[in-house]
């Protein structure tokens, strides 16, 4: 079965063609600065590479692997923060 929605426009451009808003960059900076969040050294280096690429216009588009890394790490970090919040509430 195929679902069709006339109010949904198809994606016509690659996500890296649009500059990220300041809120997303601030979130990534917070993720990297949070001392209680400890991704492995390679992941941290790759996230710093993503941050540098997003902050530098003309550096070139991010490849799909870096976009996926950013999405995965963001999800893990948000889960980590929710768990910390719940633990504080329980104590």
């Amino acid at each position: 079965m195929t679902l069709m929605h006339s109010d949904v426009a198809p994606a016509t451009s690659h996500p890296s063609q649009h500059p990220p808003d300041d809120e997303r960059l601030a979130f990534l900076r917070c993720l990297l600065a949070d001392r209680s969040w400890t991704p492995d050294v390679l992941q941290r280096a790759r996230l710093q590479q993503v941050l540098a690429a997003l902050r530098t216009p003309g550096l070139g588009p991010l490849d799909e692997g870096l976009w996926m890394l950013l999405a995965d790490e963001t999800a893990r970090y948000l889960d980590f923060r929710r768990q910390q919040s719940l633990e504080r509430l329980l104590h």
Side-chain angles (χ1 to χ4, degrees):
M1 180 169 92
T2 303
L3 297 176
M4 300 290 291
H5 295 289
S6 61
D7 60 337
V8 177
T12 58
S13 62
H14 193 275
S16 64
Q17 293 175 345
H18 300 286
D21 57 25
D22 290 337
E23 198 171 291
R24 291 178 187 175
L25 289 175
F27 176 80
L28 184 52
R29 283 192 299 272
C30 287
L31 181 149
L32 288 167
D34 188 340
R35 292 179 187 253
S36 61
W37 174 249
T38 54
D40 67 39
V41 175
L42 179 60
Q43 293 293 78
R44 178 172 291 280
R46 291 181 73 203
L47 288 170
Q48 289 170 333
Q49 177 186 3
V50 169
L51 179 62
L54 292 175
R55 290 173 40 188
T56 309
L59 189 61
L62 294 177
D63 65 26
E64 187 174 341
L66 289 176
W67 281 115
M68 293 302 296
L69 168 72
L70 181 57
D72 291 345
E73 286 301 309
T74 297
R76 284 188 199 107
Y77 183 68
L78 291 173
D79 286 343
F80 170 76
R81 293 301 305 251
R82 277 189 286 275
Q83 182 180 359
Q84 279 187 322
S85 179
L86 287 171
E87 287 175 359
R88 279 193 298 272
L89 287 172
L90 291 173
H91 290 288

